[in-house]
């Protein structure tokens, strides 16, 4: 359902009288201006794990990936939360704590290589200072609570290292919480230790992130947390029925009632049912082929199979318009104060929508919102002001 139209002001309204091409150019130009004018926060970019696996100097233009400094500047990105991601398997093999520290080291090294371009941000105050200085603020969000390893002192350690949100679980249920992706629900919500983690995060000023959690765990977080909660990279289940990884309307309203914000994931499988079903079929076919031929993941034979599959059955990419539909739905269901951007760049492979392929393309989304009559104030909120409001509230609760 589209939002109720608002009047467009100033030069943009006058541009409606121009030719169609002139109007389109003016909207795109205005979108770029707004992306540069206002603080643009993206709460989920998987650069640390990307460069850990295949190193590139992202302080300069890179050949691979979706993030580097020149493209971030082109897109108006000011506050990318660097995802400190540890795989679900790292909990069982005991590698999560060391890996998380290594990934934080990678982020610190980015700043050391280019202190004129990047700075670590651990508070909204630091973000504001760095924004005024023309630097990109690298904030830290931990994706998967496995590195906490049952020890609140480790959580405090990561807070000292700059982590300002923690996604409690990832692809499998862990010692903290059940995962939306895991059929095995160990705790039917949070574990007893998970309840302690939420309380300690409130005390420390770390935002609790309910992306990846089962519905039961997410609702329990909302009940237990004494501060607003975020979903750092989730979209709306209305458009992907049965996909628990996305948020349904009941959970969205509960998040909003808590003062929280959902950050929209750009991955095509999060955005449309067609792409979501494609990945379900692809995953089943890949697993069947691997078992039948006793092949290891990542082997040349599996890579060849995956390429053949994708060549014969191309991925139905989402569009910028379909991403904007998710924003519309949040606005209509919970209000403009409860939506933002959590793209999952460098984390969803090559599944990104047409027109949103890397961090230089945020203005394309802004242009679509302008065409849907979002006001400048609305765009300021969803680009970053909503997330910054939550961050300030969480920090104030800790203080």
């Amino acid at each position: 359902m589209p939002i109720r139209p608002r009047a467009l002001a100033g030069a943009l309204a006058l541009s409606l009288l121009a030719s169609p091409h002139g109007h389109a150019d003016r909207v795109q130009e205005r979108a770029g201006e707004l992306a540069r004018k206002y603080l643009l926060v993206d709460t989920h970019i998987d650069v640390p794990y990307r460069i850990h696996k295949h190193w590139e100097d992202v302080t300069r233009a890179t050949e691979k990936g979706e993030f580097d400094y020149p493209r971030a500047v082109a897109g108006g990105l000011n506050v990318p939360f660097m995802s400190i991601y540890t795989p679900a398997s790292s909990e069982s093999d005991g590698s999560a704590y060391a890996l998380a520290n290594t990934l934080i080291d990678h982020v610190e090294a980015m700043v050391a290589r280019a202190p004129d371009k990047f700075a670590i941000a651990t508070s909204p105050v630091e973000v504001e200072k760095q924004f005024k200085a023309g630097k990109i603020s690298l904030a830290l969000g931990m994706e998967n609570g496995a590195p906490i390893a049952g020890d609140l002192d480790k959580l405090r350690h990561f807070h000292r290292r700059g982590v300002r949100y923690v996604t409690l679980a990832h692809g499998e249920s862990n010692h903290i919480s059940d995962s939306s992706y895991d059929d095995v629900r160990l705790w039917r919500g949070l574990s007893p230790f998970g309840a302690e983690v939420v309380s300690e995060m409130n005390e420390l000023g770390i935002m609790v992130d309910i992306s990846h959690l089962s519905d039961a765990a997410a609702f329990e977080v909302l009940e237990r947390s004494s501060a607003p909660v975020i979903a750092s990279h989730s979209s709306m289940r209305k458009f992907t029925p049965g996909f628990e990884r996305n948020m349904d309307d009941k959970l969205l309203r509960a998040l909003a009632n808590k003062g929280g914000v959902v950050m929209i994931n750009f991955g095509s499988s999060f955005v449309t049912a067609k792409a979501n079903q494609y990945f379900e079929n692809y995953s089943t076919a890949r697993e069947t082929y691997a078992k039948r031929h006793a092949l290891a993941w990542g082997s040349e034979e599996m890579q060849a199979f995956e390429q053949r599959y994708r060549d014969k059955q191309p991925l139905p990419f989402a569009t910028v318009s379909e991403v904007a539909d998710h924003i519309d739905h949040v606005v209509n269901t919970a209000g403009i104060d409860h939506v933002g951007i959590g793209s999952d760049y460098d984390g969803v492979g090559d599944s990104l929508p047409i027109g949103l392929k890397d961090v230089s393309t945020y203005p394309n989304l802004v242009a679509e919102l302008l065409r849907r009559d979002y006001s400048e104030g609305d765009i300021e909120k969803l680009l970053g002001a909503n997330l910054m409001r939550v961050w300030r509230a969480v920090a104030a609760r800790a203080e």
Side-chain angles (χ1 to χ4, degrees):
M1 182 194 305
I3 62 172
R4 182 169 56 86
R6 306 172 182 81
L8 292 176
L12 184 59
L14 293 175
S15 71
L16 291 170
L17 302 176
S19 67
H21 289 299
H23 176 233
D25 291 344
R26 178 56 187 144
V27 170
Q28 194 68 37
E29 180 183 348
R30 180 60 173 156
E33 291 170 355
L34 293 178
R36 291 187 296 272
K37 178 179 179 179
Y38 294 114
L39 197 69
L40 200 167
V41 181
D42 188 329
T43 47
H44 201 86
I45 297 183
D46 277 289
V47 167
Y49 197 75
R50 164 192 157 196
I51 62 176
H52 182 68
K53 289 293 186 181
H54 304 284
W55 192 86
E56 287 185 295
D57 184 359
V58 296
T59 68
R60 303 180 180 187
T62 60
E63 294 183 2
K64 299 179 180 179
E66 286 108 42
F67 174 97
D68 57 39
Y69 179 78
R71 285 183 284 177
V73 171
L77 178 60
N78 307 112
V79 190
F81 272 75
M82 298 284 99
S83 176
I84 308 304
Y85 161 69
T86 54
S89 60
S90 67
E91 176 158 308
S92 57
D93 67 20
S95 65
Y97 180 76
L99 176 56
N101 279 288
T102 298
L103 298 183
I104 296 173
D105 291 344
H106 291 334
V107 180
E108 292 176 346
M110 289 166 57
V111 175
R113 282 195 301 276
D116 58 323
K117 299 174 181 177
F118 294 122
I120 300 289
T122 62
S123 71
V125 172
E126 289 181 346
V127 166
E128 291 162 5
K129 289 180 179 178
Q130 292 157 9
F131 181 57
K132 290 177 182 177
K135 295 183 180 182
I136 292 178
S137 297
L138 302 180
L140 302 179
M142 177 176 285
E143 185 180 23
N144 190 6
I148 298 169
D151 184 352
L152 292 179
D153 280 340
K154 286 186 171 63
L155 175 63
R156 298 177 189 115
H157 162 80
F158 286 118
H159 176 262
R160 290 192 295 271
R161 293 214 64 184
V163 170
R164 289 302 179 266
Y165 79 69
V166 175
T167 317
L168 301 183
H170 191 252
E172 296 177 5
S173 300
N174 63 11
H175 72 289
I176 296 172
S177 173
D178 289 339
S179 165
S180 62
Y181 282 129
D182 198 338
D183 292 335
V184 177
R185 303 297 163 97
L186 295 173
W187 312 108
R188 297 184 182 179
L190 298 178
S191 71
F193 178 70
E196 295 180 34
V197 168
V198 170
S199 178
E200 185 63 18
M201 288 173 68
N202 290 160
E203 294 298 318
L204 291 170
I206 301 174
M207 292 178 280
V208 185
D209 178 18
I210 60 173
S211 288
H212 280 284
L213 303 194
S214 69
D215 285 353
F219 278 113
E220 187 173 349
V221 167
L222 290 168
E223 291 173 3
R224 291 182 178 276
S225 178
S226 58
V229 168
I230 68 169
S232 70
H233 57 306
S234 296
S235 297
M236 296 293 100
R237 201 178 304 169
K238 168 185 167 61
F239 301 96
T240 56
F243 186 47
E244 190 178 1
R245 173 66 180 81
N246 275 347
M247 296 182 67
D248 71 5
D249 291 359
K250 183 179 179 181
L251 183 55
L252 172 61
R253 293 189 185 98
L255 179 78
N257 289 338
K258 195 76 177 183
V261 60
V262 55
M263 315 299 281
I264 299 301
N265 190 312
F266 290 176
S268 290
S269 65
F270 292 79
V271 175
T272 70
K274 183 165 57 175
N276 190 272
Q277 186 59 56
Y278 175 92
F279 275 102
E280 285 282 332
N281 296 342
Y282 172 60
S283 178
T284 300
R286 188 173 58 165
E287 290 180 13
T288 300
Y289 189 86
K291 289 179 180 178
R292 180 178 299 162
H293 300 281
L295 298 175
W297 297 115
S299 65
E300 290 185 8
E301 295 93 335
M302 280 304 300
Q303 291 178 27
F305 165 78
E306 292 162 4
Q307 188 61 53
R308 288 196 304 273
Y309 187 98
R310 296 289 291 270
D311 288 343
K312 292 180 179 179
Q313 302 180 65
L315 169 64
F317 291 106
T319 65
V320 176
S321 178
E322 288 168 325
V323 173
D325 289 343
H326 287 252
I327 294 173
D328 278 356
H329 186 70
V330 178
V331 172
N332 286 321
T333 304
I336 188 62
D337 295 324
H338 304 287
V339 65
I341 294 172
S343 64
D344 216 345
Y345 281 133
D346 282 325
V348 288
D350 62 351
S351 74
L352 290 158
I354 298 167
L356 289 173
K357 294 297 187 183
D358 62 37
V359 295
S360 71
T361 61
Y362 298 108
N364 292 342
L365 179 58
V366 176
E368 177 63 25
L369 297 175
L370 288 173
R371 286 189 284 269
R372 297 182 184 210
D373 296 334
Y374 278 73
S375 71
E376 183 172 334
D378 290 342
I379 289 170
E380 179 185 9
K381 286 183 176 182
L382 69 90
L383 284 181
N386 287 339
L387 188 281
M388 295 303 291
R389 168 184 55 79
V390 172
W391 194 356
R392 290 188 188 97
V394 171
R397 159 67 183 81
E399 292 170 1

